[in-house]
Amino acid sequence: MSRRTSVVKNLVKTRIPTGYGEFNLYLYNEHGKEHLALVKGEVSGQALVPVRVHSECLTGDVFGSRRCDCGDQLKHTLQYLGRLPCGILVYLRQEGRGIGLRKKMEAYNLQDAGMDTVEANIHLGHQPDERDYGIAARILQDLGPQSIRLITNNPHKVDELTAHGIQVEARIPIEVGHHQDNLDYLRSKAEKMAHLLTFREETPEHRDLAFIEPLLDQLSLARAAANEAGPFVTLAYAQSLDGGIAAEAGTPAAPTSRPALTLTRHLRAQHDALLVDIDSLPAGATPPAIRQDQGTDPRPVILDSQLRTPPEALAQGGRPPLILTAATPDPARAASLAERGAEVVAVGTDTGGGIDLPLALRALRARGIHTLMVEGGAATIRRFLRQRLVDYAVIAITPRLGGGPQAIGGPGLAGEAPALGITDCQYQTLGSDIIAHGPVGYG
């Protein structure tokens, strides 16, 4: 039986443009305490709206404290909602799981003295978790989604919102990784508060690659959101200092450092599929997505409008690829590739003669591919960017000059409005290279 709830009214609504997209900010008041809802798109009457109910954590949300996972969960939720047509972030002013900032800081000192987060709260005379989700339910009722998918690791939050009359159709996990400073805290939440955490590796394969964890969190969210249009597209390539990605057309990019190559292999392993254009490869070469050097089993995808992929390349090991081609492929070539295990899918071409990318992404999604890594070549990179199909970019900048054709320059991007950019761009040195990475924003 649902609990009876009082009606809550929105006091102020205003437009909030952010680096993650444009939202509307709603202000609510309950017993003198102000709560917020950040809303993307139209949510009233919509089913399966992604919702995060986030309790205030000043130390994590504002100051970036590593003692908890709150700040990362907030940031990754905003990135996630920013690329969806609609979604809601309810921001509750319930600091420290409801005990307030002063008590939370005192609990931190007790944790430094050997207690865990639950023991510290109890020692201070509080419950392990004193948050009330009734106000969150009333805010959601005011905003009017028909049903929601709740972004949380906390099953209690699902139960509470359901008890208050919110139709929670699914839970979207939001693990943001663990490290030395928050591991004990997360273990306590899993063992004593039933939070659903899997505790994957401490860092992405190597400690030097920990900086790429925000992307891995977005990939995890994309896989969990089964009804979201997609797939999530990561653009990853290497370029010289002057922007070139190859010495000449059809040849590989200038070599990156060994750590950067390790990053590339790791990123390949984290995606459901890898995409290259057959035109970016030397004649007769094996597409890199087919070679078994990733350590896992992502699906290779080749854009090949004229079916020029050599059938003999498919016999060199690895998963047979998914080849996306023109609407009427050559039957003999298609049969030869299919005999080697390839799946040939006719998706059609655009006005420029290349594979129609939106249709290609739709075909990938229909085959259960939720995350896609695009590796090139230059023309394909430009087409993905020009058509606003990239969600995240990872660019390795090597200390070389004279790299040849530019990935981002050239017709179709220069001078276009709205301009492309990496929002919240981060830079990391890796070997002799600089890695620029972050969500891709338009406008």
Side-chain angles (χ1 to χ4, degrees), residues 374-398:
V374 175
E375 294 191 339
T380 299
I381 291 171
R382 284 196 293 269
R383 290 177 63 220
F384 266 91
L385 288 169
R386 184 174 64 244
Q387 296 181 44
R388 279 42 179 169
L389 299 175
V390 177
D391 296 297
Y392 203 98
V394 181
I395 304 171
I397 304 169
T398 68

Side-chain angles (χ1 to χ4, degrees), residues 82-341:
R83 63 185 182 86
L84 298 182
C86 69
I88 302 170
L89 169 70
V90 178
Y91 195 86
L92 301 180
R93 308 301 294 275
Q94 298 188 129
E95 178 71 60
R97 297 203 301 273
I99 68 174
L101 181 58
R102 175 180 172 178
K103 291 294 186 179
K104 183 177 82 169
M105 293 173 65
E106 291 177 359
Y108 279 168
N109 290 335
L110 292 173
Q111 291 171 46
D112 287 340
M115 294 186 184
D116 64 33
T117 181
V118 171
E119 294 167 342
N121 277 27
I122 293 174
H123 183 83
L124 292 171
H126 293 277
Q127 297 298 314
D129 191 343
E130 296 187 357
R131 288 174 291 184
D132 175 14
Y133 295 107
I135 180 60
R138 293 191 286 277
I139 290 172
L140 290 172
Q141 288 162 351
D142 181 67
L143 295 172
Q146 178 182 332
S147 64
I148 71 170
R149 291 177 291 144
L150 190 63
I151 304 170
T152 185
N153 302 321
N154 184 0
H156 176 70
K157 195 179 295 186
V158 176
D159 294 340
E160 282 292 300
L161 289 178
T162 301
H164 281 93
I166 301 301
Q167 187 173 342
V168 182
E169 294 287 354
R171 182 184 70 87
I172 299 176
I174 183 169
E175 286 196 64
V176 293
H178 63 272
H179 45 73
Q180 181 178 353
D181 294 310
N182 71 9
L183 180 57
D184 289 341
Y185 166 79
L186 294 176
R187 281 177 174 162
S188 296
K189 290 210 297 185
E191 295 169 2
K192 296 188 175 183
M193 302 174 68
H195 284 220
L196 302 174
L197 300 170
T198 62
F199 292 99
R200 62 176 183 244
E201 68 272 17
E202 181 180 0
T203 60
E205 188 175 317
H206 301 277
R207 291 193 64 85
D208 289 345
L209 305 186
F211 68 90
I212 208 65
E213 187 73 24
L215 169 58
L216 305 191
D217 296 329
Q218 291 300 302
L219 297 178
S220 177
L221 283 169
R223 291 192 187 96
N227 295 314
E228 174 198 334
F232 183 99
V233 175
T234 303
L235 178 62
Y237 64 91
Q239 69 171 51
S240 59
L241 287 173
D242 56 348
I245 66 169
E248 59 184 26
T251 63
T256 55
S257 65
R258 184 177 296 275
L261 290 174
T262 299
L263 171 65
T264 298
R265 287 193 293 269
H266 183 70
L267 288 179
R268 288 173 177 171
Q270 304 306 312
H271 288 77
D272 297 334
L274 312 174
L275 182 145
V276 295
D277 193 316
I278 195 66
D279 290 331
S280 69
L281 303 171
T286 302
I290 299 177
R291 293 198 292 265
Q292 282 274 16
D293 60 358
Q294 295 83 258
T296 59
D297 204 21
R299 183 81 186 270
V301 177
I302 303 174
L303 301 183
D304 186 359
S305 60
Q306 299 178 32
L307 286 187
R308 290 184 288 112
T309 301
E312 58 272 14
L314 307 186
Q316 299 183 20
R319 291 186 66 184
L322 173 62
I323 301 177
L324 303 179
T325 190
T328 55
D330 179 84
R333 296 286 297 175
S336 179
L337 291 166
E339 287 176 0
R340 297 295 186 104

